Amino acid sequence: DGGITQSPKYLFRKEGQNVTLSCEQNLNHDAMYWYRQDPGQGLRLIYYSQIVNDFQKGDIAEGYSVSREKKESFPLTVTSAQKNPTAFYLCASSFGRYTEAFFGQGTRLTVV
Amino acid sequence: QKEVEQDPGPLSVPEGAIVSLNCTYSNSAFQYFMWYRQYSRKGPELLMYTYSSGNKEDGRFTAQVDKSSKYISLFIRDSQPSDSATYLCAMRDNAGNMLTFGGGTRLMVKP
């Protein structure tokens, strides 16, 4: 089945640690995105990538980093510089800039 | 003012009712419009995708776009308890810029 797989589903991090969230898609989509969702709020764009080896900052990129070495994969690292990392993280992909986006099931990150 | 406004709800309706969910927006360049359904602790699921103005129907769901009023709607006929979720609208402009989301409307359909 084609789709977007995020792992892990739940992640706990100690303060001061970096953690990496995985996002893999087998839809042959060119574009991939990371969003953050806080309770009662909409989705805010962290980073996006239109093609391999290229990515751009979204609205709230501070404290996050990404890589796009393969078309299928777009991992997100939440660094210790992110002041308030506890949130629900969503990865999405689309064929291109003008098409609809499809989402993974999300990773819930909690800082303990 | 946010670019895309959506009443957060909650909107509570009895089973079988017709539901109307709405978004208003300020950017006249938006051309592509989407509706997503999100169950608690899950990723958003694409329900409808429309381009420019007009209506689109898919089963119990109808999406409507009125660009002159900068207003989009999602209608759900014969609502079911399984429709209880948060509904997010999203839109893109012709330049292919990133999706801009509304804050979501929480819908509760009571048996």
Side-chain angles (χ1 to χ4, degrees), chain A:
Chain A
D1 279 341
I4 302 170
T5 302
Q6 288 187 243
S7 62
K9 191 172 181 179
Y10 298 98
L11 187 57
F12 296 89
R13 189 196 93 171
K14 292 183 180 178
E15 289 209 24
Q17 284 183 336
N18 292 355
V19 288
T20 298
L21 283 58
S22 170
C23 179
E24 304 275 332
Q25 53 97 1
N26 60 3
L27 300 168
N28 199 31
H29 285 173
D30 289 310
M32 296 186 75
Y33 316 85
W34 275 105
Y35 290 90
R36 169 180 172 143
Q37 188 175 36
D38 294 286
Q41 296 193 30
L43 277 63
R44 292 185 289 168
L45 183 65
I46 304 172
Y47 268 99
Y48 64 99
S49 168
Q50 303 282 14
I51 56 172
V52 174
N53 292 321
D54 187 51
F55 48 83
Q56 283 77 41
K57 294 181 179 180
D59 300 321
I60 56 165
E62 186 176 348
Y64 300 97
S65 66
V66 293
S67 63
R68 186 87 187 275
E69 297 176 2
K70 298 187 299 181
K71 188 175 184 178
E72 304 80 21
S73 178
F74 192 40
L76 173 75
T77 296
V78 184
T79 75
S80 56
Q82 168 50 234
K83 296 288 188 287
N84 185 20
T86 294
F88 190 45
Y89 290 88
L90 288 159
C91 178
S93 70
S94 66
F95 267 118
R97 300 170 68 181
Y98 303 101
T99 61
E100 64 273 42
F102 296 90
F103 283 84
Q105 288 303 298
T107 293
R108 187 165 299 277
L109 172 64
T110 303
V111 173
V112 296

Side-chain angles (χ1 to χ4, degrees), chain B residues 50-71:
Chain B
T50 54
Y51 171 70
S52 196
S53 286
N55 292 0
K56 184 175 182 179
E57 188 174 321
D58 184 1
R60 296 185 296 113
F61 299 93
T62 299
Q64 202 170 73
V65 175
D66 182 350
K67 289 189 66 186
S68 62
S69 302
K70 298 192 182 68
Y71 189 86

